[in-house]
Amino acid sequence: MRVTSAPFAAALAFCAVVTLATSPASAGTKYQTSLVPDVAGTNPGFSASGSSIKLDDKLMLKGKIKEVVDAAGLRVTTDGVPSADDYSIEVDLSVPATAASGTLVVPFDLKNGNGKFSLDFSADPILTGTASGHGVRVLGVRVKDSSGTVLGGGGFAIK
């Protein structure tokens, strides 16, 4: 025998409506990619696992890099202040609507081979003349060591 409870069904329907009504609004646009070494397992280098970068429509760039090693295979620690020993992320951007292009450079420090970086690029000259809805293209992403040597970039690693 099947028993249906009208109050239970009404409560269930109410919960479903409340859940849908309080769901977060859809997220804006973003560009996200893994950071991958040019050649895995070589020194100097870093791990593709856990290394990534994200740019969002709030004009924030954020990311992290894992297990950075020097030429001797030792995990890198930099001095913790902006200086010549910093590593960097470079992101090439273009805005087709304004024909503007340029490179964002984000220096960062490492502690035991790991680092995080962020940049608010809302005031960058690349964005001069842009308006809501304009597309921003990511043309390239590079990871550089303190001497300017490219260690890797944005993409995916083959397993």
Side-chain angles (χ1 to χ4, degrees):
M1 177 173 149
R2 185 171 176 209
V3 177
T4 305
S5 166
F8 175 76
L12 186 59
F14 175 77
C15 288
V17 168
V18 168
T19 300
L20 291 173
T22 60
S23 295
S26 63
T29 61
K30 66 181 173 184
Y31 170 86
Q32 186 170 345
T33 188
S34 296
L35 296 174
V36 294
D38 285 343
V39 181
T42 61
N43 300 332
F46 62 94
S47 173
S49 180
S51 298
S52 63
I53 187 171
K54 178 176 86 168
L55 289 85
D56 64 26
D57 59 358
K58 305 271 190 278
L59 305 176
M60 288 296 300
L61 178 155
K62 294 181 181 180
K64 59 188 174 186
I65 192 162
K66 301 288 185 174
E67 300 176 20
V68 178
V69 295
D70 62 16
L74 302 172
R75 287 193 180 212
V76 177
T77 296
T78 57
D79 63 14
V81 297
S83 65
D85 74 343
D86 289 355
Y87 279 56
S88 64
I89 296 291
E90 294 181 352
V91 180
D92 300 327
L93 301 176
S94 75
V95 182
T98 64
S101 64
T103 301
L104 301 174
V105 179
V106 186
F108 61 92
D109 281 297
L110 297 164
K111 184 174 182 180
N112 195 29
N114 300 312
K116 291 184 178 183
F117 46 89
S118 65
L119 175 70
D120 175 349
F121 64 100
S122 59
D124 195 281
I126 298 167
L127 301 175
T128 301
T130 59
S132 179
H134 283 171
V136 178
R137 292 185 183 158
V138 177
L139 305 174
V141 177
R142 290 173 300 285
V143 177
K144 289 186 171 182
D145 68 11
S146 59
S147 69
T149 300
V150 176
L151 302 177
F156 63 94
I158 298 172
K159 293 194 175 209

